[in-house]
Amino acid sequence: MLGDRMASCAFLVLAGTFFSLSYSYPPETVEYVRFISGVLIVISILLFIAPPHKLRRIDLGIIASYEKVLTLLMLVAYVVIIPRMGYFTSSFIFSVGYMYVFERKGLAKHVMVSLIMLLVLYLVFQNFLNVWFPKGWLL
Amino acid sequence: MDLAMWMDVIARVFSLSSILMAFLGTSLGIVFGALPGFTAAMGVAVLLPLTYGMDPATALIMLAGIFQGAMYGGSISAILINTPGTPSAAATTLDGYPMAKKGLAADALRESVIASFIGGVFGITCLLLLSPQLAKVALMFGPPEQFMLAIFGLTVIAAVSEESLLKGFLSGFLGLIIATIGMDPLLGRPRFTFGISGLTDGIQLVPAMIGLFSIPEVLNIVRDYVFGVSEMTVDVRKLKIGFPSLRHIWEFLSIYVRSSIIGVIIGIIPGCGGSIASFLAYNETKRASKHPEKFGTGIPEGVAAAESANNAMAGGALIPMLTLGVPGDAVSAIIMGALLLHGLRPGGELYKWNASIVFTFIIGLYVACTIMLILGLYCVPYFSKVLELPKHMLAASVLLFTVLGSYALRNNMFDVYVMIVFGVIGYLLKSFGFSVVPMVLGMILGPMAEKGLNNTIAISYGSNIVLFVLKRPICLVLLLFILGSIAFSLYRWLGQRREAYAGD
């Protein structure tokens, strides 16, 4: 698959969106935006028409591999539960869960490592740097 | 620069807390630098939250340590496992790993730390001597000059983009367009916020940079290693490095100096990066050598050239960042984010009003460099242990840190969402062959360019804006630079096309 052409299309859509949206604002505040998005459109077209064999080919299977998608999904789930369960509880669940998903052996070790890591973060950030984190059901 | 200011600088740098922070920063930097797949930029971005609660001077000293440590740390894994810890250390593998295979790992590591120290000190000295002069010039900059400077920064960054010129420009302009989200500077009304209240203040630079520099690296180690442990060919416990003889340093002095000069020059050019500096210095040293055929077979000259160049580059990259507000590379862009976080805006004004903090940072770099030398000579066996850490644990801890760092900035979950979105954007850009550095530079230079343009229009009082700008000598010089970099870009682009058609 020609990755560069996909990318140039994405840039075209983005630049086009900003260019068309700029008409809903007072002209003096968006002249700069129109200039930037105009240049972006021109460069995207230049990338699209580049010789095909010079274009980068990509393998979507590698870009969106199981491990990467799973990592991102777990990260999103972790961030979603932070406001409900609190930073430390959700971080503990995420850390143990993440390590366990990718390394099925040594659950006790994962728990220990996560506890130590969170204890260090707690001591450094809350006690030393006075940075406070969201509290939830447990901690 | 008066004596009282210098006394203040010395007192700050050599206080116990500063030394401890420099030590901690350098150690953490070496650890991050040594981990394959984790870049120096990522190390600084991920560890940036540690400085949130500190006063600006201490925070900068710690960042200086992380920066110096990470630049050097990359060579440890390059030498021991043939995998550069940071892209800047890629040239170090050429001779470093063959030396380790010959049983000369200790010699290679010694050469690496000595060259890093000399290169680092050279780069910092250039920063110390050149930046105040450049800052004086920067004080003469008005809105038109700032606009031209922002455009120049972007054209240079795109022109030197490694893979493709068009992609460099696209990435840079993407950053510029992202920087327009938020309050418009002219009327103070929300612009391109898509109804999301969190975007009213614009995209916060630090969470965006944490995402851009950390998430792609984590996702790449997930795939590349599928969570194995790096293979070590050397028994690190038996490594005894120690200080080299003065005669050895004298014999290699020309290599150190030549490579350091190359490093500083490459560092000053925005967007070039450490890998270009180290490969260029390596090639120059090979060209100047009496026995070029031995390069790549495991000789200390190769390690010395690569390491002194990439560490000197670090000092050079800070020159345009501190004086003009145009970062020379990804790490200096993050350090610029840290400066802004602490209410310090890089540029000529920084040297005028906050000179003691700037010089505390610069002298802190010397201290960090010295700590790096001591740690590199006597503690490498302990740092090498991180290469044996399971990657799934590293990935989990980095992800925890990225979330924590983004949240702790303003105690706001929205910044965490920004970090994740930018992490995904960064990963996709990298996967499609784009560098994220021009994008970050675009995000930094965007407000400067827009403000400069708006103010130029305002102060030109309706006269022809082009003629108004061209009447200013600094603008003319900057315009020549812009035209030069565009001409260079076009020359490269046409060359690429010619090559492509020749291939047909």
Side-chain angles (χ1 to χ4, degrees), chain B residues 34 73-85 89-90 92-94 96-97 307:
Chain B
S75 68
I76 297 176
S77 49
I79 290 165
L80 294 178
I81 59 169
N82 200 25
T83 309
T92 311
T93 57
L94 298 176
Y97 186 64
E307 281 303 305

Side-chain angles (χ1 to χ4, degrees), chain A residues 3-4 14 21 25-26 29 32 40 53-54 56 63 65 67-68 78-79 87 102 117 121 125 129 131 134, chain B residues 50 163 167 174 189 191-192 194 219 222-223 227 397 400-401 404 407-408 417 420 427 432 446 500 504:
Chain A
D4 284 355
L14 181 90
L21 277 176
Y25 296 98
T29 66
Y32 169 79
L40 205 52
H53 75 277
K54 281 297 283 181
R56 186 189 179 95
I63 290 177
S65 69
E67 297 91 352
K68 291 175 177 179
Y78 163 47
V79 169
Y87 176 77
F102 286 103
M117 211 151 58
L121 289 181
F125 280 87
L129 297 172
V131 174
Chain B
L50 287 174
E163 184 162 329
K167 288 181 179 177
L174 176 65
R189 294 194 334 193
R191 186 176 61 177
F192 306 120
F194 306 97
L219 293 178
V222 166
R223 175 72 194 183
F227 294 143
S397 13
L400 283 186
F401 243 82
L404 183 150
Y407 176 81
Y417 308 143
I420 294 178
Y427 172 67
F432 282 80
D504 290 335

Side-chain angles (χ1 to χ4, degrees), chain B residues 212-293:
Chain B
L212 283 170
F213 291 114
S214 310
I215 302 292
E217 312 302 341
V218 171
L219 293 178
N220 282 332
I221 67 160
V222 166
R223 175 72 194 183
D224 296 345
Y225 293 89
V226 193
F227 294 143
V229 172
S230 308
E231 280 177 31
M232 193 97 72
T233 51
V234 181
D235 186 357
V236 288
R237 285 169 302 180
K238 291 180 184 165
L239 284 178
K240 293 238 182 315
I241 298 174
F243 206 82
S245 65
L246 287 176
R247 191 182 161 184
H248 171 87
I249 295 175
W250 178 250
E251 280 171 1
F252 276 54
L253 198 60
S254 62
I255 298 176
Y256 298 140
V257 173
R258 187 191 308 115
S259 307
S260 298
I261 292 171
I262 292 172
V264 169
I265 293 170
I266 294 292
I268 292 173
I269 302 170
C272 275
S275 54
I276 296 179
S278 52
F279 275 108
L280 204 61
Y282 183 87
N283 286 336
E284 280 307 305
T285 307
K286 188 178 174 181
R287 213 165 54 88
S289 170
K290 287 175 188 159
H291 44 80
E293 72 287 350

Side-chain angles (χ1 to χ4, degrees), chain B residues 266-273 313 316-318 320-321 326-330 332-333 437 441:
Chain B
I266 294 292
I268 292 173
I269 302 170
C272 275
M313 189 281 308
L318 290 170
M321 187 276 275
V326 180
D329 70 339
S332 51
V437 179
L441 277 273

Side-chain angles (χ1 to χ4, degrees), chain B residues 15-32:
Chain B
S15 68
L16 185 63
S17 63
S18 297
I19 300 277
L20 274 175
M21 287 304 141
F23 180 80
L24 184 66
T26 312
S27 309
L28 289 171
I30 294 176
V31 168
F32 257 87

Side-chain angles (χ1 to χ4, degrees), chain B residues 105-115 240-245 376-377:
Chain B
D107 293 334
L109 287 165
R110 184 188 304 116
E111 195 54 63
S112 144
V113 71
I114 293 294
K240 293 238 182 315
I241 298 174
F243 206 82
S245 65
L377 287 175

